[in-house]
């Protein structure tokens, strides 16, 4: 009877829990190969198998006999009944195995509560099948298949067998007959021998599967002795493109894809298929069919061929096949990794459980074999047997869980719904109590507040149910969570105790064994996924980042093949999730490590065949890296920009060749204008925008693209200003008030009101409406204003100008005279117009000033003029402070003069006194008036005091303030001018036509490789200029060149030795450690020989003499350094 035909009762226990029953008990120093006790053979012999010897030469059906099988089953049942529960029995088995060989304890990686039940379930399944040799062989074969990656040996089987036998002898005593004991020993020997046989026998099948699967998907299989060559070929492909197409960044995508496909990193293999096949699969899934067969393209991969054959064979409505197909690549690629293989099957069982109807796994096998026969060229009988064997094992694992997830989900859902606040509080509190008891070191990693820990406990409980409901999404979320834990540096050995603690706490709150089993299984699966993700993601680069050590990071990346060095620092891929070591270092505040990564990426290295430069791959992986650095690590921006510059050490005619690699600062990955300039200007650092790279980018875009567009946009404003000046300041003062002149004035003012004012009204109404709709306001004191007004002073001036123009239109004298009806020509000299002429002229003067203020934008044409304008604006605050202090003194002295008994009518009252004091300060007071003041000595004294305070003190103070403010602003005025130009460039580039932009990019020729010297064709993506040799003198070659092998799979030679030959920092660090060790030895000897204070002196001398050996050793070590 096959496993598919077994009843629900036969497969009640979880099959996945037994994968470590024998294989995890590993020990190179285990007992000798014959290390078995002599047992009574009664009832123990079963053909080729007995209770004393482990037979790994054959794998046949075990004919134990019905009587012996019944005795073994009875003894097993007695053992379970003697324990408090099945969980307690599992704990006893776990403890027996755990204590049997202390040196093997590190191999027990699964949580104790989960592992105990796996041992229990595995043994239960085996013992229940003893009366059916055929079924027993299938069960054991399935378990052996799960242990293919573990080196099961006879001594290790003996350790496992003896631990179980000793446990039965202790727990059962006389209740276990000798025949039952020998029968159990025979069964355990049979299982262990089968594991060894399966591992040795099926090696050829595994190789066949690996090679044929790679061929079916157009990949190169890397296995065994071909591993080194295959790896070198893969790196050669990546690095070759790196050199030929100017940088390793161009090879990033192929390398990532190859890495993911090779290691089976994807949960859903459809992601690795071609875009067409995966897209067809997804569309078919939504339409309810696997495939339609209408695609005329020849299938070239397994996924494409599978979709085609499924449609042809009439399985187009089997939507569950898509789930198997999407996981099949990961299953096949991890066939020798029992942990990952079991994990993939468990997740797949959850996913296919969501599909209603009957799931006939044999149908998938038929389509699978048909597809492989079409794709594998040398298909033969060995392929047929190997793939059939693989699928049968996968099917057994899936069938073992078939129908269970739905019931487990219901049971767990009911349990969690029944938990009240008191029960949840117990879980939150007791989980950590038990966890810290099981793993005291865990307290060092749980540093959050109690409320945060309670939140984590709630999330863990909720995740166990979500795993049943949405397995696909949960796998993605758990993978992302695991990658975050990689950055936190959490040891994976803490997950086991945490799972055990959670299971133990839940056991206190329920008697529902099914719900408890569902919780345990789900949490165990989550733990396995997290552990795998963390182990796969914990690269040596991530470990160096966790220590924030630039030195360790350099040592870590020094191990990388030169063709993949950049990828090591930019991408850690686990499944469909990835994490960037560079971004993690920046986000975690490990700036020393981040600095080392950026410097390493932007260092140009070269061998005879190609150049390696990480600029392209860095910007392709992180297009927003400049934005991230501006926000989180502005100190690293100069490091990044310095890495984009190469300067030759060779001077040619007084000029030095300089390459600026600014492709990604000008052109984004989608071909549009990069936002790098915007991020630079929003950062607001005047020194940063003066960096040669940032200045080159801004000046190039401004001079060749933005300038003409900006000037064209300002031409309309200039024309409007000329018309306004003509109508308000020129024509009204010509003295010719004839009809023609009036008509021209009327036409100019109509132009201003309808076109200029109309444009301004549209602009402000548009943004005002948007702010009102979004309720976007900012406060100035107690007044709320629309947010757009606070963006720049130009918006404020424009709004004031609009208000003045509207007010001018409302009182326009020309319109007033027309309304009177008594004039046939345009005029403003009428009784109705005369009343508004003065008010109109005041508004016209204010509008004129505002027009010219807006004209200041044109200062951006010249950096020097723009810098001067900005300096004027910055020192304006000092002038305003002076005017405030001056006005305060004027008011004070005016009030004092008004209180004085004097007869000068020019200082009669506060307003008159203030006016006269202003004229005195500004030098507008007539000298003749001073003679009349002499007649009033008290008044003269106050005026003299006023002049001293204002003219002598305040004027000179103003000059000093302006000088200091200018001096402070002068250092950054060019930077502020460039910030202003950057803002205008970003605003202007939005109006540049696409065709003109593309012509500009083509003109830069960024795809052409730039020379490093005569005949030395270098890297693409740069702009070459020549600068005076004295501007940035350098005597060091910025390109690190190496001889030797040019294979991209080879590591770079030791750069420290290549540069200096000695690492002074490491040398002094070693010396410091040696001194510390010597001092500790001396101190220890003094403590051992220390006596009374009276003899301290002589004893000290003795100790020093006796410590001469250490000193001499230290001296010797120091001299070697």
């Amino acid at each position: 009877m096959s496993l598919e035909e077994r009843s629900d009762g036969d497969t009640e226990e979880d099959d996945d829990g037994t994968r470590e029953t024998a294989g995890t008990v590993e020990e190179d120093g285990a007992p000798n190969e014959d290390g078995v006790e002599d047992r009574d053979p009664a009832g123990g012999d079963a053909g080729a198998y007995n209770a004393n010897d482990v037979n790994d030469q054959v794998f046949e059906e075990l004919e134990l006999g019905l009587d012996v099988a019944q005795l073994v089953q009875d003894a097993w049942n007695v053992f379970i009944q003697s324990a408090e529960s099945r969980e307690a029995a599992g704990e006893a088995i776990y403890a027996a195995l755990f204590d049997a060989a202390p040196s093997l304890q590190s191999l027990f990686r699964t949580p104790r509560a989960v592992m105990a039940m796996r041992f229990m379930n595995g043994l239960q399944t085996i013992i229940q099948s003893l009366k059916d040799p055929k079924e027993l062989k299938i069960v054991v074969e399935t378990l052996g298949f799960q242990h293919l990656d573990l080196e099961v040996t006879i001594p290790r089987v003996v350790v496992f067998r003896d631990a179980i036998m000793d446990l039965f002898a202790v727990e059962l005593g006389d209740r276990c007959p000798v025949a039952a004991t020998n029968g159990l020993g025979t069964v355990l020997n049979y299982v262990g021998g089968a594991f060894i046989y399966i591992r040795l026998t099926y090696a050829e099948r595994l190789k066949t599967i690996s090679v044929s699967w790679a061929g079916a998907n157009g990949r190169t299989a890397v296995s065994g002795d071909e591993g080194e060559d295959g790896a070198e070929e893969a790196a050669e492909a990546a690095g070759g493109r790196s050199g030929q197409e100017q940088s390793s960044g161009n090879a990033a995508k192929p390398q990532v894809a190859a890495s993911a496909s090779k290691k089976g990193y994807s949960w859903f293999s459809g992601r690795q298929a071609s875009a067409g096949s995966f897209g067809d699969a997804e569309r078919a899934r939504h339409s309810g069919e696997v495939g339609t067969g209408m695609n005329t393209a020849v299938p070239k991969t397994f996924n494409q061929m599978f979709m085609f054959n499924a449609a042809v064979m009439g399985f187009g409505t089997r939507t569950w096949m898509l789930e198997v197909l999407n996981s099949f690549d990961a299953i096949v690629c991890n066939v020798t990794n029992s942990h990952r293989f079991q994990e993939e099957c468990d997740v797949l069982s959850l996913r296919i459980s969501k599909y209603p109807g009957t799931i006939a796994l044999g149908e998938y096998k038929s389509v699978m074999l048909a597809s492989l026969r079409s794709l594998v060229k040398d298909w033969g009988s060995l392929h047929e047997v190997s793939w059939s064997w693989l699928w049968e094992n996968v099917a057994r694992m899936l069938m073992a869980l078939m129908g269970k997830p739905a019931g487990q989900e219901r049971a767990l859902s009911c349990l969690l719904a029944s938990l009240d606040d008191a029960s949840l509080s117990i879980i939150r509190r007791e989980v950590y109590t038990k966890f810290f008891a099981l793993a005291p070191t865990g307290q060092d990693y749980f540093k959050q507040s109690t409320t945060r820990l309670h939140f984590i406990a709630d999330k863990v409980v909720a995740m166990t149910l979500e795993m049943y409901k949405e397995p696909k999404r949960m796998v993605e979320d758990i993978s992302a969570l695991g990658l975050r834990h990689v950055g936190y540096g959490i040891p994976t050995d803490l997950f086991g105790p945490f799972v055990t603690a959670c299971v133990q706490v839940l056991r206190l709150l329920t008697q529902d064994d099914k719900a408890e089993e569902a919780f345990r299984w789900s949490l165990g699966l989550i733990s396995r996924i997290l552990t795998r993700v963390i182990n796969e993601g914990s690269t040596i680069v991530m470990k160096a980042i966790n220590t924030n050590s630039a030195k360790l990071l350099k040592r870590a990346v020094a191990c990388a093949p030169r063709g993949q060095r950049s990828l090591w620092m930019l991408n850690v891929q686990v499944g469909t999730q990835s994490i960037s070591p560079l971004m993690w270092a920046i986000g975690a505040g490990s700036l020393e490590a981040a600095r080392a990564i950026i410097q390493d990426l932007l260092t140009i290295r070269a061998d005879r065949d190609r150049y390696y430069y990480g600029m392209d791959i860095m910007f392709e992986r992180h297009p927003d890296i400049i934005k991230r650095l501006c926000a989180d690590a502005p100190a690293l921006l100069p490091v990044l920009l310095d890495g984009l510059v190469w300067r030759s050490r060779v001077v040619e005619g007084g000029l030095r060749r300089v390459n600026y690699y600014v492709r990604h600062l000008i052109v984004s990955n989608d071909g549009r204008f990069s936002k790098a300039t915007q991020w630079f200007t929003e950062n607001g650092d005047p020194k940063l925008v003066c960096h040669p790279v940032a200045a080159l980018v801004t000046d190039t875009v401004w001079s060749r693209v933005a300038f003409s567009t900006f000037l064209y946009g300002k031409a309309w404003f200039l024309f409007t200003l000329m018309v306004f000046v003509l109508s308000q300041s020129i024509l009204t003062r010509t003295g010719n008030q004839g009809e023609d002149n009036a008509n021209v004035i009327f036409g100019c003012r109509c132009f201003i009101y309808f076109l200029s004012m109309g444009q301004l009204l549209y602009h402000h109404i548009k943004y005002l409406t948007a702010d009102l709709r979004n309720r976007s306001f900012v406060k100035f004191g107690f007044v709320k204003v629309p947010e757009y007004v606070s963006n720049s002073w130009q918006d404020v001036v424009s709004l004031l100008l609009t208000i003045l123009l509207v007010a001018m239109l409302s009182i326009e004298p020309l319109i007033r005279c027309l309304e009177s009806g008594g004039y046939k020509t345009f005029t403003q000299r009428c009784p109705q117009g005369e009343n508004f002429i003065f008010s109109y002229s005041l508004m016209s003067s204010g509008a004129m000033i505002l027009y010219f203020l807006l004209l200041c934008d044109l200062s951006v044409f010249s950096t020097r003029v723009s810098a001067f304008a900005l300096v004027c604006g910055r020192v304006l605050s000092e002038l305003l402070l002076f005017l405030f202090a001056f006005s305060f003194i004027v008011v004070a002295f005016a009030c004092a003069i008004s209180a004085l008994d004097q007869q000068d009518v020019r200082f009669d009252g506060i307003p008159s006194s203030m006016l006269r004091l202003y004229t005195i300060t500004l030098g507008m007071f007539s000298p003749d008036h001073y003679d009349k003041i002499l007649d009033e000595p008290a008044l003269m004294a106050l005026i003299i005091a006023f002049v001293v305070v204002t003219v002598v003190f305040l004027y000179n103070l103003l000059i000093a303030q302006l000088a200091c403010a200018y001096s402070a602003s002068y250092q950054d005025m060019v930077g502020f001018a460039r910030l202003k130009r950057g803002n205008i460039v970003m605003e202007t580039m939005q109006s540049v036509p696409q065709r003109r932009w593309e012509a500009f990019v083509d003109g830069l020729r960024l795809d052409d490789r730039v020379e490093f010297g005569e005949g030395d064709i270098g890297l693409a993506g740069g702009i070459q200029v020549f600068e005076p040799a004295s501007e940035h003198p350098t005597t060091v070659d910025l390109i690190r060149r190496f001889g030797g092998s040019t294979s991209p799979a080879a590591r770079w030679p030791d750069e420290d030795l290549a540069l200096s030959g000695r690492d002074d920092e490491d040398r002094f660090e070693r010396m410091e450690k040696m001194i510390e060790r010597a001092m500790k030895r001396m101190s220890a000897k003094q403590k051992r020989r220390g006596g009374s204070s009276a003899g301290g002196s002589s004893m000290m001398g003795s100790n020093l003499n006796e410590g001469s050996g250490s000193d001499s050793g230290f001296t010797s070590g120091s001299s070697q350094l």
Side-chain angles (χ1 to χ4, degrees):
M1 182 176 65
S2 66
L3 184 62
E4 291 84 343
E5 298 172 341
R6 283 188 293 174
S7 63
D8 293 338
D10 293 333
T11 61
E12 179 183 354
E13 299 303 331
D14 187 352
D15 181 57
D16 84 299
T18 60
R19 61 177 183 178
E20 296 188 28
T21 51
T24 55
V25 185
E26 303 179 14
E27 164 71 352
D28 292 337
N32 58 55
E33 295 185 3
D34 298 327
V36 293
E37 300 178 8
D38 293 335
R39 299 182 185 273
D40 188 351
D45 293 337
Y49 305 100
N50 58 64
N52 297 327
D53 301 322
V54 178
N55 189 348
D56 60 350
Q57 301 302 313
V58 295
F59 179 38
E60 302 172 349
E61 295 180 358
L62 178 62
E63 300 287 348
L64 196 59
L66 295 179
D67 295 339
V68 177
Q70 185 62 49
L71 289 174
V72 174
Q73 290 178 348
D74 292 342
W76 175 257
N77 294 330
V78 172
F79 169 73
I80 294 178
Q81 293 172 4
S82 64
E84 296 179 357
S85 62
R86 297 178 68 253
E87 291 77 11
E91 290 283 352
I93 296 175
Y94 182 95
L97 297 175
F98 195 79
D99 297 335
S103 59
L104 301 179
Q105 294 176 3
S106 60
L107 300 176
F108 288 75
R109 295 166 291 179
T110 307
R112 183 183 183 106
V114 177
M115 194 65 202
M117 287 308 299
R118 288 182 183 172
F119 284 135
M120 182 70 189
N121 295 336
L123 292 173
Q124 174 84 11
T125 304
I126 292 172
I127 292 176
Q128 285 183 347
S129 305
L130 289 179
K131 295 182 180 180
D132 189 338
K134 183 178 180 181
E135 181 183 0
L136 177 62
K137 184 180 179 181
I138 293 174
V139 170
V140 174
E141 184 179 16
T142 303
L143 294 177
F145 186 74
Q146 297 173 16
H147 290 76
L148 286 175
D149 64 324
L150 301 176
E151 189 177 356
V152 183
T153 61
I154 292 179
R156 295 166 185 170
V157 173
V158 171
V159 171
F160 181 89
R161 182 200 65 196
D162 290 348
I164 300 296
M165 301 294 290
D166 293 341
L167 175 64
F168 269 63
V170 172
E171 295 293 334
L172 301 184
D174 297 337
R175 291 178 293 176
C176 183
V178 175
T181 301
N182 292 337
L184 180 60
T186 302
V187 172
L188 295 176
N189 284 339
Y190 171 73
V191 173
F195 286 0
I196 300 173
Y197 178 85
I198 290 171
R199 184 174 183 273
L200 297 176
T201 305
Y202 293 162
E204 185 178 7
R205 294 184 182 180
L206 295 175
K207 183 177 180 180
T208 301
I209 291 172
S210 176
V211 174
S212 58
W213 181 248
N217 289 279
R219 299 197 296 256
T220 302
V222 181
S223 62
D225 55 351
E226 300 175 358
E228 184 176 351
D229 297 337
E232 182 170 346
E233 291 176 3
E236 181 74 36
R241 181 171 180 176
S242 168
Q244 298 299 325
E245 299 188 3
Q246 70 85 28
S247 78
S248 62
N250 293 333
K253 295 178 181 177
Q255 290 176 10
V256 173
S259 176
S261 62
K262 173 184 173 183
K263 297 184 179 180
Y265 278 154
S266 174
W267 279 104
F268 315 111
S269 60
R271 177 179 64 85
Q272 298 173 355
S274 67
S277 66
F278 185 73
D280 294 342
E282 288 297 309
R283 287 191 293 272
R285 176 174 181 174
H286 290 298
S287 63
E289 296 185 358
V290 172
T292 61
M294 299 302 295
N295 189 356
T296 57
V298 178
K300 296 181 180 180
T301 65
F302 176 79
N303 281 23
Q304 295 172 351
M305 185 63 73
F306 187 94
M307 303 295 294
F308 175 80
N309 286 331
V312 171
M313 297 171 69
F315 299 139
T317 58
R318 310 298 197 272
T319 54
W320 60 267
M321 285 189 178
L322 277 178
E323 297 294 350
V324 183
L325 181 64
N326 289 339
S327 300
F328 198 60
D329 181 74
I331 291 175
V332 175
C333 291
N334 292 281
V335 65
T336 58
N337 184 345
S338 63
H339 295 271
R340 181 69 186 277
F341 185 83
Q342 183 67 54
E343 180 185 315
E344 291 287 349
C345 291
D346 289 346
V347 174
L348 178 58
S349 66
L350 291 176
R351 293 173 62 180
I352 63 177
S353 67
K354 301 299 178 183
Y355 289 84
T358 303
I359 296 178
L361 297 177
E363 296 176 352
Y364 185 92
K365 177 182 178 182
S366 301
V367 181
M368 175 194 73
L369 292 176
S371 302
L372 290 171
R373 294 188 192 107
S374 303
L375 294 171
V376 179
K377 298 179 181 179
D378 56 345
W379 185 269
S381 59
L382 180 59
H383 293 83
E384 194 83 19
V385 172
S386 300
W387 282 98
S388 298
W389 166 76
L390 170 66
W391 180 251
E392 288 171 0
N393 283 276
V394 173
R396 292 191 193 108
M397 293 185 181
L398 296 179
M399 288 299 298
L401 295 174
M402 197 72 72
K404 288 185 178 181
Q408 290 176 331
E409 178 182 346
R410 288 191 299 269
L412 185 58
S413 179
C414 293
L415 172 61
L416 297 184
S418 65
L419 297 177
D420 54 13
D421 292 339
S423 300
L424 293 175
S425 179
I426 293 175
I427 293 177
R428 298 170 187 145
R429 184 177 62 256
E430 293 299 323
V431 161
Y432 295 102
T433 301
K434 292 184 177 296
F435 170 64
F436 294 148
L438 293 171
T441 57
Q443 301 180 64
D444 298 334
Y445 296 92
F446 284 81
K447 305 174 184 178
Q448 299 90 343
S449 64
T450 302
T451 55
R452 174 65 179 172
L453 296 181
H454 290 174
F455 170 78
I456 295 175
D458 291 341
K459 289 291 292 183
V460 169
V461 174
M463 287 171 65
T464 58
L465 182 59
E466 290 296 320
M467 177 59 77
Y468 288 104
K469 292 183 176 180
E470 298 182 72
K472 182 177 181 179
R473 178 183 64 82
M474 283 302 299
V475 169
E476 298 292 322
D477 293 347
I478 295 171
S479 299
L481 179 64
L483 283 178
R484 290 199 296 273
H485 281 73
V486 169
Y488 300 145
I490 304 296
T492 56
D493 55 4
L494 293 179
F495 286 103
F498 187 82
V499 172
T500 301
C502 293
V503 174
Q504 290 177 356
V505 172
L506 188 73
R507 190 181 299 165
L508 301 175
L509 302 176
T510 181
Q511 299 296 326
D512 188 346
D513 293 340
K514 192 171 185 179
E516 181 187 340
E517 177 63 24
F519 180 81
R520 177 190 292 106
W521 187 87
S522 177
L523 193 56
L525 178 59
I526 294 172
S527 174
R528 280 184 280 153
I529 297 175
L530 281 174
T531 302
R532 175 185 58 81
V533 171
I534 293 175
N535 288 335
E536 293 180 2
S538 296
T539 64
I540 54 178
V541 174
M542 291 298 296
K543 293 178 180 178
I545 291 174
N546 290 335
T547 61
N548 192 23
S549 172
K551 185 189 304 182
L552 292 179
L553 190 135
K554 292 177 182 178
R555 293 176 180 174
V557 298
C559 303
R562 59 186 67 178
Q564 299 181 8
R565 185 176 180 122
S566 297
L567 284 176
W568 278 37
M569 295 177 282
L570 291 173
N571 188 61
V572 175
Q573 184 83 25
V574 178
T576 58
Q577 299 293 325
S578 65
I579 188 174
S580 168
L582 173 59
M583 286 296 107
W584 180 265
I586 294 172
S590 301
L591 298 188
E592 288 300 321
R595 181 189 299 272
I597 290 177
I598 294 175
Q599 290 175 340
D600 193 276
L601 287 171
L602 299 181
T603 297
I604 303 176
R605 297 177 176 85
D607 51 31
R608 295 186 302 275
D609 290 347
R610 57 186 65 84
Y611 287 96
Y612 295 85
Y613 189 40
M615 176 193 66
D616 281 343
I617 185 174
M618 181 179 69
F619 280 99
E620 288 172 3
R621 181 75 170 91
H622 304 296
D624 62 340
I625 184 172
I626 293 178
K627 181 180 179 181
R628 290 290 305 274
L629 291 178
C630 288
D632 300 331
L636 298 182
L637 281 170
V639 179
L640 185 144
L641 296 180
D642 289 342
L644 300 178
V645 183
W646 171 86
R647 288 187 172 88
S648 174
R649 64 175 177 177
V650 179
V651 178
E652 304 173 6
L655 298 176
R656 188 186 308 277
R657 191 190 304 262
V658 183
N659 295 347
Y660 292 92
Y661 293 96
V662 294
R663 177 213 299 268
H664 298 282
L665 302 186
I666 297 178
V667 185
S668 63
N669 292 341
D670 58 359
R672 301 177 182 272
F673 180 53
S674 173
K675 292 184 178 181
T677 303
Q678 176 183 348
W679 295 328
F680 285 141
T681 53
E682 289 177 351
N683 187 46
D685 186 353
K687 291 183 174 60
L688 181 65
V689 294
C690 290
H691 191 281
V693 172
L696 176 72
V697 171
T698 305
D699 292 345
T700 301
V701 177
W702 167 255
S703 60
R704 301 180 61 174
V705 183
F707 175 78
S708 56
T709 303
F710 177 76
L711 184 61
Y712 177 79
K714 289 297 180 181
W716 170 257
F717 179 79
L718 288 172
F719 180 72
T720 302
L721 177 59
M722 293 172 59
V723 171
F724 189 71
V725 172
L726 182 67
S727 65
Q728 304 299 123
S729 302
I730 299 178
L731 294 179
T732 57
R733 302 297 179 184
T734 59
N736 179 13
Q737 301 298 326
E739 181 178 349
D740 293 338
N741 186 66
N743 290 339
V744 174
I745 292 175
F746 181 78
C748 291
R749 291 186 179 179
C750 287
F751 176 87
I752 294 298
Y753 294 139
F754 285 102
L755 297 181
S756 178
M757 187 185 73
Q759 183 183 20
L760 291 172
L761 280 174
Y762 172 78
H763 171 80
H764 289 287
I765 291 175
K766 173 183 176 183
Y767 286 99
L768 179 61
T769 304
D771 284 347
L772 290 175
R773 186 183 301 113
N774 299 327
R775 300 182 179 276
S776 301
F777 297 96
V778 292
K779 268 192 174 184
F780 285 97
F782 298 98
V783 180
K784 285 186 177 181
V785 298
E787 185 180 15
Y788 84 95
V789 178
S790 64
N791 293 335
S792 65
W793 65 267
Q794 288 93 338
D795 289 322
V796 178
V797 173
S798 176
L799 179 61
L800 294 176
L801 177 60
T802 305
I803 295 173
L804 283 178
L805 291 177
V806 172
M808 289 170 60
L809 177 61
S810 65
I811 62 172
E812 174 62 52
L814 291 175
I815 298 178
R816 296 289 179 178
C817 292
L818 285 177
E819 290 176 350
S820 65
Y823 300 90
K824 297 181 179 179
T825 60
F826 297 111
T827 181
Q828 56 185 1
R829 297 296 176 178
C830 64
Q832 292 81 359
E834 293 283 352
N835 298 330
F836 298 98
I837 287 180
F838 181 73
S839 301
Y840 182 83
S841 65
L842 289 178
M843 296 180 184
S844 176
S845 298
M848 190 69 68
I849 298 297
L850 295 178
Y851 263 117
F852 275 92
L853 279 177
L854 292 176
L855 193 63
C856 291
D857 273 351
L858 296 180
S859 64
V860 75
F861 288 150
S862 170
T863 304
R864 295 187 62 186
V865 175
S866 179
F868 175 76
L870 289 170
V871 169
C872 291
R874 288 188 166 271
V875 301
L876 184 61
S877 61
E878 306 298 332
L879 179 60
L880 294 177
L881 288 175
F882 166 78
L883 293 177
F884 173 77
F886 176 65
S887 300
F888 173 79
I889 294 174
V890 166
V891 172
F893 275 88
C895 293
I897 291 173
S898 297
L900 187 65
D901 183 15
Q902 51 87 20
Q903 303 301 322
D904 194 332
V905 295
R906 289 166 299 186
F907 292 90
D908 186 15
I910 295 177
S912 299
S913 299
M914 290 177 61
L915 181 59
R916 296 297 182 269
L917 292 176
Y918 276 119
T919 57
I920 289 173
T921 306
L922 298 176
M924 301 169 62
F925 196 72
S926 175
D928 297 336
H929 294 165
Y930 284 108
D931 295 337
K932 298 178 181 180
I933 297 177
L934 292 176
D935 298 335
E936 300 286 346
L939 178 61
M940 188 64 181
L942 284 176
I943 291 177
I944 291 173
F946 173 77
V947 171
V948 170
V949 172
T950 56
V951 177
V952 177
F953 177 71
L954 282 184
Y955 271 9
N956 287 282
L957 180 61
L958 174 63
I959 293 171
Q961 285 181 306
L962 292 178
C964 292
Y966 181 84
S967 177
S969 301
Y970 177 79
Q971 300 177 0
D972 296 329
M973 66 178 184
V974 176
F976 286 113
R978 290 196 172 278
L979 284 174
K980 182 178 180 181
R981 174 175 286 186
N983 282 322
I984 293 178
V985 166
M986 291 305 303
E987 294 173 358
T988 305
M989 289 303 295
Q990 298 177 5
S991 306
V992 174
Q994 182 66 22
R995 181 179 300 178
R996 188 156 173 249
W997 166 252
E998 293 175 354
F1000 162 71
V1001 174
D1002 293 340
L1004 293 178
R1005 302 174 65 183
L1006 295 174
D1007 293 330
D1008 295 345
R1009 300 167 68 182
V1010 184
E1011 288 185 337
F1012 288 129
E1014 290 188 50
D1016 187 0
I1017 307 301
L1019 303 166
I1023 297 176
Q1024 187 171 100
V1025 299
F1026 288 86
E1027 66 180 18
S1030 59
E1031 188 170 341
H1032 296 94
T1034 179
T1035 58
V1036 179
D1037 189 359
L1038 298 182
I1039 302 176
R1040 301 187 180 181
R1041 302 181 182 273
F1042 299 90
S1045 172
T1046 61
S1047 170
R1051 295 166 45 187
W1052 291 112
D1054 191 337
E1055 295 184 6
D1056 291 333
L1057 293 177
L1059 292 176
S1060 62
R1062 305 294 292 265
D1063 189 342
D1064 292 338
E1065 186 177 355
D1066 284 350
R1067 181 176 61 181
F1068 285 113
E1069 183 178 348
R1070 290 194 297 268
M1071 185 180 296
E1072 182 181 0
K1073 291 181 178 179
M1074 189 171 293
I1075 292 173
E1076 291 179 356
R1077 289 195 297 267
M1079 296 299 294
K1080 288 180 179 179
R1081 287 195 295 268
M1082 293 172 61
S1083 176
K1085 289 184 178 182
Q1086 292 173 4
K1087 290 180 179 179
R1088 287 195 300 267
R1089 295 180 173 271
S1092 64
S1093 59
S1097 223
S1098 60
M1099 203 157 293
M1100 179 69 70
S1102 174
N1103 286 336
L1104 288 175
N1105 291 332
E1106 292 179 3
S1108 60
S1110 299
D1111 293 342
S1112 61
F1114 161 67
T1115 305
S1116 174
S1118 300
S1119 63
Q1120 291 177 6
L1121 288 176

